[in-house]
Amino acid sequence: MARAHWGCCPWLVLLCACAWGHPKPADLGGQDVRNCSTNPPYLPVTVVNTTVSLTALRQQMQTQNLSAYIIPDTDAHMNEYIGQHDERRAWITGFTGSAGTAVVTMKKAAVWTDSRYWTQAERQMDCNWELHKEVGTTPIVTWLLTEIPAGGCVGFDPFLLSIDTWESYNLALQGSNRQLVSITTNLVDLVWGSERPPVPNQPIYALQEAFTGSTWQEKVSGVRSQMQKHQKAPTAVLLSALEETAWLFNLRASDIPYNPFFYSYTLLTVSSIRLFANKSRFSSETLSYLNSSCTGPMCVQIEDYSQVRDSIQAYALGDVRIWIGTSYTMYGIYEVIPKEKLVTDTYSPVMMTKAVKNSKEQALLKASHVRDAVAVIRYLVWLEKNVPKGTVDEFSGAELVDKFRGEEQFSSGPSFETISASGLNAALAHYSPTKELNRKLSSDEMYLLDSGGQYWDGTTDITRTVHWGTPSAFQKEAYTRVLIGNIDLSRLIFPAATSGRMVEAFARRALWDAGLNYGHGTGHGIGNFLCVHEWPVGFQSNNIAMAKGMFTSIEPGYYKDGEFGIRLEDVALVVEAKTKYPGSYLTFEVVSFVPYDRNLIDVSLLSPEHLQYLNRYYQTIREKVGPELQRRQLLEEFKWLQQHTEPLAARAPDTASWASVLVVSTLAILGWSL
Amino acid sequence: MARAHWGCCPWLVLLCACAWGHPKPADLGGQDVRNCSTNPPYLPVTVVNTTVSLTALRQQMQTQNLSAYIIPDTDAHMNEYIGQHDERRAWITGFTGSAGTAVVTMKKAAVWTDSRYWTQAERQMDCNWELHKEVGTTPIVTWLLTEIPAGGCVGFDPFLLSIDTWESYNLALQGSNRQLVSITTNLVDLVWGSERPPVPNQPIYALQEAFTGSTWQEKVSGVRSQMQKHQKAPTAVLLSALEETAWLFNLRASDIPYNPFFYSYTLLTVSSIRLFANKSRFSSETLSYLNSSCTGPMCVQIEDYSQVRDSIQAYALGDVRIWIGTSYTMYGIYEVIPKEKLVTDTYSPVMMTKAVKNSKEQALLKASHVRDAVAVIRYLVWLEKNVPKGTVDEFSGAELVDKFRGEEQFSSGPSFETISASGLNAALAHYSPTKELNRKLSSDEMYLLDSGGQYWDGTTDITRTVHWGTPSAFQKEAYTRVLIGNIDLSRLIFPAATSGRMVEAFARRALWDAGLNYGHGTGHGIGNFLCVHEWPVGFQSNNIAMAKGMFTSIEPGYYKDGEFGIRLEDVALVVEAKTKYPGSYLTFEVVSFVPYDRNLIDVSLLSPEHLQYLNRYYQTIREKVGPELQRRQLLEEFKWLQQHTEPLAARAPDTASWASVLVVSTLAILGWSL
């Protein structure tokens, strides 16, 4: 899990925010918030003065004859993490939270955001801005209808609204005599001017062949073959998500945080390949790798990123059918394609193909997880020694685990902002420490670490929760129930093509049994040096059915407000299951290789099957990570690993069970009387 | 489960047919099917000659200037079971299967149906009809586009198409230069003429107060209060489903098979109650019960059933907002209400309220299940004695259990067509025996009985599978795994408002574990002398979230093609669960009271928790049904019940477990060596 959960793309963040049981505003170190009802208003030092930029924006709106202008929190590719130059909503409002929509009229300005961010918004926004504690398009439109006159126009940047979001605005405004107006020039950018951070321009590079599952030519042929088989015979596939283009061509860059992508689109037709990106960013080797100087069906023509809308519009004039993935294509592309020329699916064939890793990709992802385990184990060993000294805090800890990962081969930085949370902070939904605001780690508290790395061969994501002192009975029980949930789902055997949604409750049953639960999802897909939250694999209702070769995280948790938080997250490969009777069945093979905390396991809650599973898993960890630690001369870590993967022994359960029944029988047979 | 599964209304039958793993055509006693490729064609005696009626229908179509006419398998209320006078598709085609759509053009006639009915259709249709082995509107529209000329009109009866079905036809035909034309006079009825069976006209009666959970006045006030609280402030609720009106007024009749309903609509406004039904069917007492002679907000004005469309249209002229449940309102009503005056939800407030039974309704439903258990137990005892004689067949068995139910107090007939299936027939998805075609029951085969009753106090539905001889090890294993599934779901503790879809896999896990599964849903709601398949409660994705007071069936199964079928179905009440830690949690309380077959249970597969659950359930059966059997002097049945509910004892499991661990420990402590 990471700050913006469960989606490589933020279109799902909201779902997650709502699913979390009791979202809490991040602790901003006190309640020093604005008070706009006094005269003059009280404004904390954290507030940004937006009067000048709002005036300038309203001038732009007047030029366009707009009564209102919508400023969403998205970029043009529905990225989960967006670049600074795309943080338009943050810049115009002062409010930097990752979720929230702003709307400006000629007289008013307002922000809609969810409860995680209410305090933050009150600390960052000046009194030009109303704060609306609601989400979704409905309250925005309700407000618009009272604020702008009949006949008024509501402007928006069509590259910042997904098709779905546009449709919901459009539907809500229908018959209201207010009109949605698509304006391709972003008005905030005009006002932002030279202050706007530059669009990234680092080199775009090809992955070494050792780190790719197939060549880009093989991938292109595969997609074309899917186009041919499709009953609507699309003539082209349009790729809008950055991960699609990165995956298809085995290209990477670092345009956005945590994800090794570059701004791009691809229009892959039956006879051509058109890659929209800044050509100057490719080296001559990369251009040659892409066959960019020829014009045949296996030559990549590079066109300027800014040309994509016009080029699609021109292409759509022909006798064509363009296949798009509707969940992440923006309205700015969608509106230039006539409806009858669209072939729509929720996810493009690239997204669907990418979801299933071939055997080489599987091996690469597994290998990255072995090295990742080394980094995490080094950190856990270090913590065990240093936490009792009282010198470690959440932030320095996060820095250290990031450093250890950075020392691993093929490392390319963290895959999301490390969640390093001690005590009560671990119960907060979206907590990450900062240099200024963090908590000391202590032997008296539980500590939750949710972190991951980007490596050339794979992306990782793992959560472990530890306690170095004496956990309470309730902490042990909750931890063990979370662990049982992780095990029950991991060892589940289920029919091929079962949807994750149908089975995720197995990760919750042991908690439910005692009246406990967690308010977030149970897992997400993960990529090969791609998104750490890779769609469309996972356990939510909008995820696709499970298939052999997919990777997903499995991450039940439990959070006690104001006290502690537990999450145990592993990445698992979907593999064929061998069943007693023949059939097409699947199960999971866990590829995260860090032992759980023995100090927190109440063995009496585990069934023989749980113990058997756990001990087999520990054996696998020894086999995979042990040799790697030895090879690296990490002998202290090796010793720690051996200790922490000692087989767990059965302990008598409290409740009547087979055990007591059989002991009684055995004694009875032996002629003993009790 | 019953012939048309999982829905009081047939809009879900298809879903179910698809979900079934290997749907099989019903065994029609041989493959004597038509052959239209010979000259003259070969037609079995079971075929109906449709030439005359088709000619007459085409004359009607010509009068209306239609190129095609759609004849669906529905009635005007989306009933699961439809009356004979509504069997238009069956009459015009000769094909009597419960699912299938016919379309007639000036030159051709065709039927689309699913694989369950292909053989039956080939045996019943003459060569005027093409058989299309497909379902859904898409293949029908594809066919229409090639068969009718541009500019052609496709007629349909708007009272036979749901809003959704109309929308999918409309969408598919958009831009094709073919037009959908709504014709309120049904053309098949015109041709059918005096041969058409009469519309039922039996008295409509009020339930005695003892059998109702609330008075109709209380229910009306409850719905009005929901209207007031609704943010869109509807001025009226329109009830289209027959069960809605029957429930609201506590009225019953017998217009359609198995469901005690009468043809009706209700328009409940803030200040009036308009019941559309045939006034002559109400006695003066019932009219007085309904306050039908006054005109205030608590007076029921009775208007003629045939007037509903005109009345709604007239009402919709005012400043009104009409609240409808879109899944079962037909296009014929929908099209006369301007869109801006519609308040739409999937289910009306009546459907949602009806789903949660109050304490009196719960007590009534439970009481009906005790008596129902008596009838089923009488039948099982009788079978145990008579099957070995070789004189019982599936059909006579079904008749007998129906008879036993009929002898119970408050009986009002079966709640669906009894599934009485021996041996391989139990593996067929939609099998019911007939007088002519049935199989003998035998001690060498498994026997499946899925049946239920209508009683004034409640509706029942139970499935038991039995074997009177020596079942194979595989049969016992499969039966026990089905039983474990039933137990695992029944004893599950889950958070309030969890959707059934999220937990239904608990009923499958034990089967999945061995590579086994079943291809149907896991349960459906049930009513108080209403639908046996009562929406919207259940375990499918379109069911609503579970809440305290709902009743659902829990019915895992396993089917071995050509050999045997197992299903264990109970009805369960959703109740609050007591959890160790406080929280809002639910679980199930099973209210079906017939023991499972000890002969088929492999105790070694059961965990201590399963055994504990089962023995507690058996204790409940003894407490509930035992006294009833004694009171009725059914002493043989009482003895049988005692035998079949003897506590099951633990037997050593095959696999290593606590048991062996502890036995070894015990022996070790005692100084024994193994």
Side-chain angles (χ1 to χ4, degrees):
Chain A
M1 199 165 78
R3 195 144 161 277
H5 314 246
W6 320 126
C8 188
C9 310
W11 72 89
L12 281 141
V13 171
L14 189 63
L15 179 66
C16 178
C18 301
W20 196 282
H22 301 280
K24 294 269 168 181
D27 183 355
L28 288 155
Q31 297 293 315
D32 190 15
V33 297
R34 67 177 184 175
N35 183 351
C36 298
S37 64
T38 58
N39 192 354
Y42 171 71
L43 297 176
V45 291
T46 43
V47 149
V48 176
N49 185 333
T50 62
T51 304
V52 174
S53 45
L54 264 177
T55 306
L57 178 62
R58 288 188 175 120
Q59 278 166 3
Q60 292 295 340
M61 287 164 59
Q62 217 149 19
T63 315
Q64 301 279 348
N65 198 23
L66 298 179
S67 301
Y69 189 65
I70 302 171
I71 305 144
D73 51 16
T74 45
D75 70 4
H77 303 275
M78 294 292 267
N79 283 311
E80 178 173 6
Y81 308 105
I82 68 173
Q84 289 186 334
H85 62 288
D86 276 328
E87 292 185 346
R88 297 176 183 92
R89 203 272 345 274
W91 181 75
I92 195 79
T93 65
F95 161 58
T96 59
S98 71
T101 299
V103 178
V104 175
T105 67
M106 297 317 282
K107 289 187 186 154
K108 290 192 180 170
V111 163
W112 284 256
T113 190
D114 67 81
S115 58
R116 292 173 292 164
Y117 297 113
W118 294 343
T119 305
Q120 184 177 353
E122 298 280 13
R123 283 174 49 74
Q124 298 184 314
M125 298 198 304
D126 66 14
C127 292
N128 285 310
W129 294 89
E130 295 176 3
L131 172 63
H132 291 265
K133 300 180 171 182
E134 291 172 301
V135 291
T137 52
T138 309
I140 295 178
V141 171
T142 306
W143 182 82
L144 274 172
L145 293 181
T146 64
E147 294 298 330
I148 66 168
C153 290
V154 180
F156 68 97
D157 179 342
F159 279 94
L160 300 185
L161 290 193
S162 69
I163 302 171
D164 278 354
T165 308
W166 176 82
E167 277 176 354
S168 79
Y169 277 118
N170 192 47
L171 195 71
L173 284 169
Q174 248 168 30
S176 73
N177 196 17
R178 273 88 169 172
Q179 207 188 326
L180 270 180
V181 181
S182 164
I183 302 169
T184 51
T185 305
N186 190 287
L187 304 192
V188 175
D189 290 356
L190 292 180
V191 177
W192 209 346
S194 61
E195 276 183 54
R196 187 180 172 213
V199 177
N201 206 15
Q202 309 307 111
I204 297 166
Y205 58 93
L207 278 177
Q208 294 171 42
E209 209 192 312
F211 301 118
T212 65
S214 320
T215 64
W216 69 256
Q217 289 88 342
E218 289 165 341
K219 292 178 179 177
V220 162
S221 301
V223 177
R224 283 190 177 136
S225 130
Q226 290 184 60
M227 289 160 65
Q228 272 173 353
K229 283 179 204 147
H230 196 292
Q231 57 165 358
K232 292 190 183 158
T235 60
V237 172
L238 173 69
L239 307 179
S240 282
L242 301 191
E243 57 181 309
E244 292 180 305
T245 292
W247 175 87
L248 184 68
F249 298 110
N250 297 319
L251 293 175
R252 300 290 188 276
S254 52
D255 293 9
I256 55 170
Y258 305 115
N259 290 330
F261 305 150
F262 54 99
Y263 293 102
S264 55
Y265 294 90
T266 298
L267 184 72
L268 173 63
T269 80
V270 285
S271 57
S272 68
I273 310 167
R274 299 164 70 177
L275 167 56
F276 297 87
N278 184 343
K279 194 164 185 171
S280 69
R281 299 179 62 185
F282 296 90
S283 68
S284 57
E285 287 83 2
T286 309
L287 290 175
S288 148
Y289 159 83
L290 291 170
N291 299 341
S292 73
S293 53
C294 58
T295 52
M298 277 299 176
C299 306
V300 181
Q301 298 160 246
I302 298 179
E303 302 185 29
D304 200 70
Y305 177 76
S306 64
Q307 290 304 303
V308 67
R309 183 176 152 113
D310 291 346
S311 293
I312 300 292
Q313 194 159 24
Y315 177 75
L317 292 174
D319 176 22
V320 298
R321 282 162 306 283
I322 306 172
W323 194 359
I324 63 167
T326 50
S327 7
Y328 45 86
T329 302
M330 304 310 265
Y331 185 70
I333 296 288
Y334 178 80
E335 67 174 334
V336 301
I337 308 173
K339 296 297 153 287
E340 67 275 15
K341 297 188 177 182
L342 273 173
V343 177
T344 57
D345 272 309
T346 311
Y347 306 105
S348 79
V350 163
M351 214 63 132
M352 296 298 283
T353 306
K354 179 166 60 60
V356 176
K357 274 71 176 168
N358 67 25
S359 57
K360 187 175 169 200
E361 288 163 334
Q362 290 174 24
L364 287 166
L365 242 172
K366 286 183 189 178
S368 70
H369 277 81
V370 172
R371 297 195 311 282
D372 194 71
V374 170
V376 175
I377 288 168
R378 285 179 68 194
Y379 180 56
L380 290 176
V381 171
W382 184 89
L383 286 178
E384 214 169 277
K385 288 188 296 186
N386 288 280
V387 168
K389 299 178 193 163
T391 55
V392 190
D393 67 53
E394 294 166 336
F395 187 74
S396 65
E399 283 189 322
L400 187 66
V401 74
D402 291 351
K403 175 177 170 290
F404 283 151
R405 277 206 173 83
E407 289 167 13
E408 290 300 315
Q409 208 180 10
F410 312 140
S411 168
S412 187
S415 58
F416 58 94
E417 188 176 4
T418 294
I419 297 176
S420 164
S422 188
L424 77 176
N425 285 343
L428 298 174
H430 290 260
Y431 180 80
S432 284
T434 63
K435 200 174 173 62
E436 296 75 29
L437 290 169
N438 58 63
R439 189 176 178 90
K440 196 152 274 181
L441 270 56
S442 148
S443 298
D444 300 329
E445 286 191 344
M446 292 175 87
Y447 171 67
L448 185 154
L449 177 79
D450 184 350
S451 62
Q454 289 288 10
Y455 304 91
W456 294 346
D457 44 356
T459 307
T460 67
D461 186 3
I462 184 169
T463 309
R464 287 295 179 265
T465 307
V466 287
H467 195 302
W468 299 279
T470 309
S472 72
F474 178 57
Q475 286 174 330
K476 285 184 76 168
E477 176 179 356
Y479 184 95
T480 308
R481 289 184 184 275
V482 171
L483 176 61
I484 292 174
N486 183 308
I487 292 175
D488 280 347
L489 183 52
S490 297
R491 72 192 186 96
L492 185 74
I493 292 169
F494 53 93
T498 297
S499 83
R501 186 67 175 166
M502 264 199 75
V503 298
E504 73 118 35
F506 287 95
R508 300 180 187 267
R509 194 201 50 82
L511 287 162
W512 286 354
D513 234 21
L516 310 176
N517 198 7
Y518 54 95
H520 55 73
T522 295
H524 54 80
I526 192 163
N528 280 82
F529 194 25
L530 289 164
C531 287
V532 70
H533 303 138
E534 185 175 271
W535 279 83
V537 173
F539 295 97
Q540 297 194 152
S541 52
N542 50 355
N543 290 124
I544 58 171
M546 291 285 174
K548 184 184 155 187
M550 291 176 171
F551 282 82
T552 178
S553 73
I554 291 178
E555 46 181 312
Y558 172 72
Y559 309 89
K560 177 77 178 164
D561 279 351
E563 297 189 21
F564 63 89
I566 296 163
R567 190 162 56 253
L568 296 177
E569 175 185 24
D570 294 301
V571 170
L573 169 62
V574 181
V575 295
E576 276 177 5
K578 286 192 193 80
T579 50
K580 182 172 175 186
Y581 302 104
S584 187
Y585 284 79
L586 303 172
T587 189
F588 297 105
E589 176 191 331
V590 173
V591 303
S592 298
F593 300 119
V594 179
Y596 307 111
D597 187 358
R598 301 171 83 83
N599 195 24
L600 280 163
I601 299 176
D602 178 351
V603 178
S604 74
L605 290 173
L606 300 180
S607 73
E609 291 77 16
H610 294 138
L611 276 172
Q612 193 179 27
Y613 173 91
L614 201 53
N615 288 334
R616 210 182 312 126
Y617 172 55
Y618 279 2
Q619 186 57 34
T620 307
I621 294 180
R622 283 184 172 187
E623 288 163 12
K624 299 276 180 188
V625 185
E628 183 69 15
L629 293 173
Q630 287 179 307
R631 194 180 64 77
R632 308 257 294 272
Q633 303 278 317
L634 294 166
L635 301 183
E636 189 178 358
E637 284 77 5
F638 180 79
K639 194 177 150 205
W640 181 94
L641 184 71
Q642 294 300 113
Q643 281 169 354
H644 284 75
T645 51
E646 271 296 314
L648 285 157
R651 214 182 296 164
D654 295 336
T655 54
S657 101
W658 284 115
S660 49
V661 173
L662 275 226
V663 170
V664 172
S665 320
T666 310
L667 295 174
I669 292 162
L670 297 175
W672 287 59
S673 73
L674 291 170
Chain B
M1 199 165 79
R3 197 144 161 276
H5 313 248
W6 320 126
C8 187
C9 310
W11 72 89
L12 281 140
V13 171
L14 190 65
L15 179 67
C16 178
C18 299
W20 196 281
H22 300 281
K24 293 271 167 181
D27 183 355
L28 289 155
Q31 297 293 314
D32 189 16
V33 297
R34 67 178 184 175
N35 185 350
C36 299
S37 64
T38 58
N39 192 350
Y42 170 72
L43 297 177
V45 291
T46 42
V47 149
V48 175
N49 185 333
T50 62
T51 304
V52 174
S53 46
L54 265 177
T55 306
L57 178 62
R58 287 185 176 122
Q59 279 166 2
Q60 293 295 341
M61 287 164 59
Q62 219 150 16
T63 314
Q64 301 278 348
N65 199 23
L66 299 179
S67 301
Y69 189 65
I70 302 172
I71 306 145
D73 50 16
T74 44
D75 69 5
H77 302 275
M78 293 291 267
N79 282 311
E80 178 174 6
Y81 308 106
I82 68 173
Q84 288 187 335
H85 63 287
D86 276 328
E87 291 186 345
R88 299 177 180 90
R89 203 266 355 271
W91 181 76
I92 195 79
T93 64
F95 162 59
T96 59
S98 71
T101 299
V103 178
V104 175
T105 66
M106 296 316 283
K107 289 186 185 156
K108 289 191 180 172
V111 163
W112 284 257
T113 190
D114 67 81
S115 58
R116 291 173 292 163
Y117 296 114
W118 294 342
T119 305
Q120 184 177 352
E122 298 280 13
R123 283 174 49 74
Q124 297 185 315
M125 297 198 306
D126 66 14
C127 292
N128 286 311
W129 295 88
E130 297 176 2
L131 172 63
H132 292 265
K133 300 180 171 182
E134 291 171 302
V135 291
T137 52
T138 310
I140 295 177
V141 171
T142 307
W143 182 82
L144 274 173
L145 293 180
T146 64
E147 293 299 329
I148 66 170
C153 290
V154 180
F156 68 96
D157 179 341
F159 278 94
L160 301 185
L161 289 194
S162 70
I163 302 172
D164 278 355
T165 308
W166 176 82
E167 277 177 353
S168 79
Y169 276 117
N170 191 49
L171 196 71
L173 284 169
Q174 246 166 31
S176 72
N177 197 16
R178 274 89 170 170
Q179 208 189 325
L180 270 181
V181 181
S182 165
I183 302 169
T184 51
T185 304
N186 189 287
L187 303 192
V188 175
D189 290 355
L190 291 181
V191 177
W192 208 347
S194 62
E195 275 183 56
R196 188 181 170 213
V199 176
N201 206 15
Q202 311 306 111
I204 298 167
Y205 58 93
L207 279 177
Q208 294 171 42
E209 210 192 311
F211 301 118
T212 64
S214 320
T215 64
W216 68 257
Q217 288 90 341
E218 288 165 342
K219 291 178 179 179
V220 162
S221 301
V223 176
R224 283 192 178 135
S225 131
Q226 289 184 62
M227 289 160 66
Q228 272 174 352
K229 284 179 203 145
H230 196 292
Q231 56 166 0
K232 292 188 182 158
T235 59
V237 172
L238 173 69
L239 308 179
S240 282
L242 301 190
E243 56 181 311
E244 293 181 304
T245 292
W247 176 86
L248 184 66
F249 297 111
N250 297 319
L251 293 176
R252 300 291 187 274
S254 53
D255 292 9
I256 56 169
Y258 305 117
N259 290 330
F261 305 151
F262 55 99
Y263 292 102
S264 56
Y265 293 91
T266 299
L267 184 72
L268 173 63
T269 81
V270 285
S271 57
S272 68
I273 310 167
R274 298 163 71 176
L275 167 56
F276 296 86
N278 184 343
K279 193 163 184 172
S280 68
R281 299 178 63 185
F282 297 90
S283 68
S284 57
E285 287 84 3
T286 310
L287 290 174
S288 149
Y289 159 83
L290 291 170
N291 299 340
S292 72
S293 53
C294 57
T295 51
M298 276 300 176
C299 306
V300 182
Q301 298 160 246
I302 298 179
E303 302 185 27
D304 199 70
Y305 177 76
S306 63
Q307 290 305 305
V308 67
R309 184 174 150 113
D310 292 346
S311 293
I312 300 292
Q313 195 159 21
Y315 177 75
L317 292 174
D319 176 21
V320 298
R321 284 162 306 284
I322 306 172
W323 194 359
I324 63 167
T326 51
S327 6
Y328 45 86
T329 302
M330 305 310 266
Y331 184 71
I333 296 287
Y334 178 80
E335 68 174 334
V336 301
I337 309 173
K339 297 294 151 287
E340 67 276 14
K341 298 189 175 180
L342 273 173
V343 177
T344 57
D345 272 309
T346 312
Y347 305 104
S348 79
V350 163
M351 214 62 133
M352 296 298 282
T353 306
K354 179 165 61 60
V356 177
K357 274 70 176 168
N358 67 26
S359 58
K360 188 175 168 198
E361 289 163 334
Q362 291 174 24
L364 288 167
L365 242 172
K366 286 184 188 178
S368 70
H369 277 80
V370 173
R371 297 195 311 280
D372 195 69
V374 171
V376 175
I377 289 169
R378 284 178 69 193
Y379 180 56
L380 291 175
V381 172
W382 184 89
L383 286 177
E384 217 171 274
K385 287 189 296 186
N386 289 281
V387 167
K389 299 179 192 162
T391 54
V392 190
D393 67 51
E394 294 166 335
F395 187 74
S396 65
E399 282 189 321
L400 188 66
V401 74
D402 292 352
K403 175 176 169 289
F404 283 151
R405 276 205 173 84
E407 290 167 11
E408 290 299 316
Q409 207 179 11
F410 311 140
S411 169
S412 186
S415 59
F416 58 94
E417 188 176 3
T418 294
I419 297 176
S420 164
S422 187
L424 77 176
N425 284 344
L428 298 174
H430 290 262
Y431 180 80
S432 284
T434 62
K435 198 172 173 66
E436 296 73 31
L437 290 169
N438 58 64
R439 188 176 179 90
K440 195 152 274 182
L441 270 57
S442 148
S443 296
D444 299 331
E445 286 190 344
M446 291 175 88
Y447 171 67
L448 184 154
L449 177 79
D450 184 350
S451 62
Q454 289 288 10
Y455 304 90
W456 294 347
D457 45 355
T459 307
T460 68
D461 186 3
I462 184 169
T463 309
R464 287 295 179 266
T465 307
V466 287
H467 195 301
W468 299 279
T470 309
S472 71
F474 178 56
Q475 286 173 330
K476 285 185 76 169
E477 176 179 357
Y479 183 96
T480 308
R481 288 184 185 276
V482 171
L483 177 61
I484 293 174
N486 183 308
I487 293 175
D488 280 348
L489 184 51
S490 298
R491 74 193 185 95
L492 185 73
I493 292 168
F494 53 94
T498 297
S499 83
R501 185 68 174 167
M502 266 199 74
V503 298
E504 74 118 34
F506 287 95
R508 301 179 186 269
R509 193 201 50 81
L511 287 162
W512 287 355
D513 234 23
L516 310 176
N517 199 5
Y518 55 96
H520 55 75
T522 295
H524 54 80
I526 193 164
N528 280 81
F529 193 26
L530 289 164
C531 287
V532 71
H533 303 135
E534 184 175 272
W535 280 82
V537 172
F539 294 98
Q540 299 195 150
S541 52
N542 50 356
N543 289 124
I544 58 171
M546 290 288 174
K548 184 184 155 188
M550 291 175 171
F551 281 82
T552 178
S553 74
I554 291 178
E555 46 182 309
Y558 173 72
Y559 308 89
K560 177 76 178 163
D561 279 350
E563 297 188 21
F564 63 88
I566 297 163
R567 187 161 59 254
L568 296 177
E569 175 185 23
D570 294 300
V571 170
L573 168 63
V574 181
V575 295
E576 276 176 7
K578 286 193 192 77
T579 50
K580 183 173 175 184
Y581 302 103
S584 187
Y585 284 79
L586 302 173
T587 189
F588 297 105
E589 176 192 331
V590 172
V591 303
S592 299
F593 299 119
V594 179
Y596 307 111
D597 188 359
R598 299 171 85 84
N599 194 25
L600 280 162
I601 299 175
D602 179 351
V603 178
S604 74
L605 290 173
L606 301 179
S607 73
E609 291 78 15
H610 294 137
L611 277 173
Q612 194 178 27
Y613 173 90
L614 202 53
N615 289 334
R616 210 182 312 127
Y617 172 53
Y618 280 1
Q619 185 57 35
T620 307
I621 294 180
R622 284 184 171 188
E623 287 163 12
K624 298 275 182 189
V625 185
E628 183 70 14
L629 294 174
Q630 287 179 306
R631 195 180 64 77
R632 308 258 292 272
Q633 304 277 317
L634 293 167
L635 301 183
E636 191 179 355
E637 284 78 4
F638 180 77
K639 193 177 151 205
W640 181 95
L641 184 70
Q642 295 300 113
Q643 281 169 355
H644 284 74
T645 50
E646 270 297 313
L648 285 157
R651 214 181 298 164
D654 295 336
T655 54
S657 96
W658 285 114
S660 49
V661 171
L662 275 226
V663 170
V664 172
S665 319
T666 309
L667 293 174
I669 292 162
L670 298 175
W672 287 58
S673 73
L674 289 171

